[in-house]
Amino acid sequence: MDQVRNYVSKENSIIKNQLLYISKRLYTHPYIKTLLNAGPEWILIFTNENELVFANDAVLSFFEMQDITTVLGKRPGEVLQCSYVHESGELCGEGVKCMNCNLFLSMEESRKHKRSVSSHLSLGTMSRQKSIFTDIRISPFDFENKELRLVHIRDASYKRKSENLEKILLQKASGSIESVKGYLDFLKEIPDRKSMDQYIATADHISNELKEELEFLKALEILEKDDYVMKKSNLESVQFIYNLLKNIEHSSYAEGKRFIMDVGSEEFNITTDPFLLKIVLNAMFKNAMEATEPGGSIKLGVASEDKDAFIWVANKTAIPERVQLHIYEKYYTTKKGAMGIGAYIMKLITEEYLSGSIYFESSKEKGTFFSVRIPQIKE
């Protein structure tokens, strides 16, 4: 933990009066405040001991602060209301999860090597239900003989949404192709040709879905402009899930594994966009299947809670703690050959398009539990 102590050592802290002096000089400088408030991006300035001395209007507005007074001298995670800092009660930079935080690592690298560092961050704040996908850049500079670091944070949620929609759809198309191939391989092994009809019908159904998914690519331009029009349908909850499972049960990652529907699952109508919900659930089910050993089982269920659809899946494999912190980050993966956008897809569509929420918890004792809550689309 020596690296963490170096990051935010209290012994190295600049005394309060010095912080106030530096902060006042920055805010009263004839150009600095004006320039750093010129755009919508978040701009923060920290001392070399990671104590805040400046936050632009975009930061103050987002966190509903009148001025910097309440956060002067605070550490990055405390200023940005990091959910991990809030939940653990630990100071920013002193928790185990801090060692896997891209902001922490970038701040430390910038301090150590005295150079600019760029990275990205999935920022979960205690005052917001949704995580914010951001690009970050830390740049060291000297101001009146003091070493400071300018932290530039840009909301990349919509940019990342546009960049990944095509990858999302292509991943879905690839999954459908894999299912069709699995069915065809399975058909070759059936000696009784008469019993093939039902399997051929299913393969045909999957092929039609693939066609629909590929046609959906034509709407990519509209989606990139964030002008996607929800296609509302009334879905039967349990039947909708059974249909999804039927389509993926012959995929290579499903071999030797089985889904068990919870006996408490409820059949009710879900009014939502079926295509988008399908992408979310397919990603959730696939992740659970890939994490399950052959011969294992995955439990899932669906229920109506306050008129929302609550859908969950659980498996016995735990996600390592170091991975949990990055679970929703684009392209982050520990699987060889994987794209690393499965959980990202789930969160992106659930929150940005379906106006829902996503949750997970994982431990060695209980395994992994993922859930989504999808509100009904109103008239």
Side-chain angles (χ1 to χ4, degrees):
M1 296 294 289
D2 289 341
Q3 185 184 19
V4 178
R5 293 195 189 97
N6 289 336
Y7 172 61
V8 287
S9 174
K10 284 190 175 180
E11 288 75 10
N12 294 331
S13 295
I14 298 175
I15 62 174
K16 189 76 171 180
N17 286 340
Q18 288 179 308
L19 288 175
L20 286 168
Y21 174 78
I22 295 171
S23 182
K24 183 177 180 180
R25 293 292 294 164
L26 288 167
Y27 276 101
T28 57
H29 190 279
Y31 302 115
I32 290 179
K33 183 178 179 181
T34 301
L35 287 173
L36 299 187
N37 280 324
E41 294 87 359
W42 295 357
I43 305 291
L44 306 100
I45 298 177
F46 293 89
T47 67
N48 211 34
E49 289 75 27
N50 295 291
E51 296 162 313
L52 182 73
V53 289
F54 180 93
N56 73 348
D57 290 345
V59 175
L60 299 177
S61 175
F62 184 87
F63 292 103
E64 300 177 353
M65 295 183 285
Q66 294 296 321
D67 53 48
I68 197 177
T69 306
T70 57
V71 288
L72 180 67
K74 297 288 187 180
R75 305 169 186 184
E78 294 155 11
V79 176
L80 301 176
Q81 300 181 6
C82 169
S83 57
Y84 293 112
V85 171
H86 176 66
E87 292 166 6
S88 66
E90 298 173 313
L91 294 175
C92 172
E94 295 185 359
V96 175
K97 290 184 177 180
C98 296
M99 298 302 296
N100 292 307
C101 170
N102 281 347
L103 180 56
F104 162 73
L105 295 174
S106 298
M107 293 284 280
E108 175 62 13
E109 185 178 347
S110 177
R111 181 195 66 80
K112 184 177 180 180
H113 299 289
K114 296 185 178 181
R115 64 181 179 84
S116 295
V117 177
S118 297
S119 187
H120 57 271
L121 178 71
S122 177
L123 177 63
T125 70
M126 66 182 187
S127 62
R128 297 291 191 278
Q129 289 185 349
K130 300 178 181 180
S131 290
I132 307 162
F133 297 100
T134 65
D135 291 328
I136 58 176
R137 184 172 178 81
I138 294 92
S139 303
F141 71 100
D142 290 332
F143 179 74
E144 299 184 355
N145 298 319
K146 298 293 183 182
E147 291 185 3
L148 303 177
R149 273 174 293 170
L150 185 145
V151 179
H152 179 198
I153 302 178
R154 183 166 63 92
D155 184 354
S157 301
Y158 293 102
K159 171 194 168 189
R160 289 166 187 264
K161 182 193 300 183
S162 297
E163 287 177 346
N164 282 281
L165 279 169
E166 186 169 359
K167 292 181 182 295
I168 290 170
L169 294 169
L170 289 176
Q171 185 187 48
K172 277 290 288 118
S174 297
S176 294
I177 291 171
E178 190 175 4
S179 294
V180 172
K181 185 179 182 302
Y183 259 92
L184 293 175
D185 291 340
F186 181 68
L187 290 175
K188 294 175 185 178
E189 306 299 323
I190 299 178
D192 182 8
R193 311 301 290 183
K194 293 182 179 179
S195 62
M196 291 176 59
D197 291 347
Q198 66 182 91
Y199 299 107
I200 292 174
T202 302
D204 183 62
H205 174 67
I206 298 173
S207 297
N208 288 332
E209 286 199 334
L210 173 59
K211 180 182 177 182
E212 293 174 6
E213 289 158 10
L214 292 175
E215 287 178 347
F216 196 78
L217 285 170
K218 297 176 184 178
L220 185 60
E221 184 177 358
I222 297 175
L223 289 164
E224 288 179 333
K225 293 179 179 178
D226 205 36
D227 290 333
Y228 178 68
V229 179
M230 300 291 285
K231 298 173 177 62
K232 181 178 67 174
S233 293
N234 291 319
L235 313 173
E236 295 181 356
S237 57
V238 174
Q239 189 59 50
F240 183 76
I241 291 175
Y242 272 133
N243 289 339
L244 293 183
L245 297 180
K246 185 179 179 182
N247 289 340
I248 65 176
E249 63 183 358
H250 289 287
S251 300
S252 59
Y253 51 81
E255 188 174 352
K257 307 164 190 179
R258 64 192 182 102
F259 276 100
I260 301 174
M261 182 73 77
D262 185 79
V263 293
S265 293
E266 305 172 37
E267 184 73 277
F268 60 96
N269 285 337
I270 306 173
T271 305
T272 189
D273 187 308
F275 179 75
L276 297 182
L277 181 61
K278 187 189 303 181
I279 294 177
V280 171
L281 297 185
N282 273 341
M284 189 163 72
F285 297 159
K286 181 181 179 182
N287 282 350
M289 293 176 79
E290 289 180 334
T292 301
E293 295 294 329
S297 60
I298 302 101
K299 195 170 183 179
L300 72 157
V302 58
S304 177
E305 295 188 357
D306 298 325
K307 296 184 179 180
D308 293 347
F310 180 74
I311 305 168
W312 58 268
V313 62
N315 64 280
K316 297 179 180 179
T317 305
I319 301 172
E321 255 192 44
R322 62 180 177 81
V323 177
Q324 291 185 37
L325 189 63
H326 302 284
I327 197 75
Y328 296 123
E329 289 182 13
K330 179 186 72 171
Y331 301 143
Y332 182 85
T333 182
T334 57
K335 306 169 189 173
K336 186 177 180 180
M339 295 178 67
I341 60 172
Y344 174 82
I345 289 171
M346 292 161 57
K347 189 173 185 65
L348 174 71
I349 295 179
T350 299
E351 294 184 345
E352 299 295 335
Y353 285 110
L354 300 179
S355 300
S357 60
I358 185 169
Y359 169 83
F360 86 94
E361 60 181 33
S362 185
S363 66
K364 291 181 179 179
E365 297 76 22
K366 297 181 179 180
T368 299
F369 175 92
F370 259 97
S371 68
V372 292
R373 180 183 289 275
I374 309 296
Q376 306 276 357
I377 295 180
K378 297 179 181 179
E379 296 294 337

